[in-house]
Amino acid sequence: MLSFAATARQLGRTQLIRTATRRSYATETASKKPSNLPLYLMGAGVAGLGGYFYLNSTGKSVITQEKSPLDPENFKDFRLKKIIPYNHNTSEFIFELPNNEASLLPVASCIVVKASDPEALKDEKGKPIIRPYTPISPSEHKGELTLLIKKYDNGNASKHIHGLKEGDTLSIKGPIPKFPYKVNEFEEVALIGGGSGITPLYQIVTHALSNGSNRTKFTLLFSNVTEADILLKSDFEALKKKYPTKFDVVYVLDKPPAGWTGLSGYISKEVIQQHVAPASLNEKVKVFVCGPPGQVAALAGKKAGMKQGELGGILKELGYTEDQVYKF
Ligand SMILES: Cc1cc2nc3c(=O)[nH]c(=O)nc-3n(C[C@H](O)[C@H](O)[C@H](O)COP(=O)(O)OP(=O)(O)OC[C@H]3O[C@@H](n4cnc5c(N)ncnc54)[C@H](O)[C@@H]3O)c2cc1C
C-alpha cells in the first residue's frame, strides 16, 4: 500500500504526464510542420477513410500516417514501456507503438488484450483469457498507448497485467468499435460510470470537448466506493474548469469520508432525475453507461454479452428508450 505522500506524489506525476500527452485541440498545431490550417481529421476505421491527415496551408490533405499499428483481426505484441502507479489498486500501463505511430482508434472504441505467452493466462478449458480495455491516451497521440487498469485480486487479466514488468509485452487487438460518436449529434449527453468503467466515458468526453465546434453539454455521474477510488479526478476537474458550460461532474460515494460534499450512496432514480436531461428530449439526449455488471443492470438492464441487451432498470422506469441509452 502506498503512503499518502507517495500517492499524492504519484498522482501529481501522473497528471503531469497525461498533460503532456493530452489531446491536441482543434485550434492547436499538433505537428511541427508549418500549416495555416492545422485541421486534423481522424478517419481511422470510420467510413472507409483510413489514415491520419491534416490540411496544409493550400488546403491540400497531407497524409502523415496510413494506418493504425494495431490490427483489428490479429493480436500483436506491444512492449510495455512504463508503469505509473495511480492509486492503491490501479496503475497506468504505457505501451510503445512502433515507429512513433499513433493508435488512430476511432471514438468510441476499445481494444482487447491477452497474454503474449499463451500459457500465462488461460481458462479451465485452456483457451486464452481475453478482456477489453479502453485506452486513456488520445487516438492521435504518437508512439504510446496508455491503459489505466484496476487490479482485481481474484481477477485474471488485470492480475496478469499488474504482474508485468517494464520491457515485457502484452498481446493487443483492435480497434473494437463501440459507439460511433459524431460531434454535435446530441444536445445533452449523460455519462454514468462506476469505478474503472470510467475509461470509455473519458474517451468520449475528452474527444468531444477537444473539438472547437462542440455544442453538446456533458454531465458525468461517477460512482465509487471511496474517494481514493475515483480515477481521473484531476482530469475531470481540469475539464470542468476549462469548459464550465459544457461539462459538469457529480461524484457519488458509497463510503464517503467525513465532510464529503458530493453525493452519497448509489446512483438512484432521484439522482438521475436531478442531474440527467429528461427522456422527453427524445433524440437530443443520449445516456452512456459503463460500470460493474451489477450497476449496469440496475441502471439500464443487463448486457447480452457483447450486445446491448434489453433496456431495463432505472433508466427504463424513467422513460428512456433503447435509442437513448448505450451500454459499454
Ligand atoms: C468496453 C470496456 C472497457 C473496459 N475498460 C477498462 C479499463 O480501461 N480499465 C479497467 O481496469 N477495466 C476496464 N474494463 C474491465 C475489464 O475488461 C475487465 O473486466 C477487468 O479488468 C476484470 O478482468 P479480470 O480478468 O481481471 O477479472 P475476471 O477474472 O473477469 O473477474 C474477477 C472478478 O472481478 C469481477 N469483475 C469483473 N469485471 C468487473 C468490473 N468491471 N467491475 C467490478 N467487478 C468486476 C468479477 O465479477 C469477478 O468477481 C473494461 C470493460 C469493458 C466492457
Side-chain angles (χ1 to χ4, degrees), residues 131-134 148-150 152 154-158 178 196 199 292:
R131 295 282 184 268
Y133 293 97
T134 307
L148 181 67
I149 299 185
K150 174 174 169 179
Y152 291 90
N154 60 345
N156 287 288
S158 63
K178 291 285 182 177
S196 54
T199 53

Side-chain angles (χ1 to χ4, degrees), residues 215-227:
R215 293 189 304 276
T216 302
K217 161 101 201 306
F218 291 84
T219 303
L220 169 64
L221 290 181
F222 190 13
S223 71
N224 283 279
V225 180
T226 70
E227 194 171 13

Side-chain angles (χ1 to χ4, degrees), residues 190 192 221 267-269 272-273 276-277 279 287-289 295-301 311-321 324-327:
I192 309 184
L221 290 181
I267 296 177
S268 62
K269 197 187 244 182
I272 291 179
Q273 278 173 316
V276 175
V287 184
F288 293 98
V289 182
Q295 185 187 36
V296 173
L299 291 169
L311 180 66
I314 294 174
L315 289 169
K316 186 171 181 192
E317 280 173 42
L318 288 174
Y320 294 89
T321 63
Q324 289 176 311
V325 178
Y326 184 87
K327 305 175 229 175

Side-chain angles (χ1 to χ4, degrees), residues 98-114:
N99 308 316
N100 203 29
E101 289 179 329
S103 73
L104 305 184
L105 293 181
V107 175
S109 70
C110 66
I111 53 157
V112 286
V113 315
K114 64 176 189 172

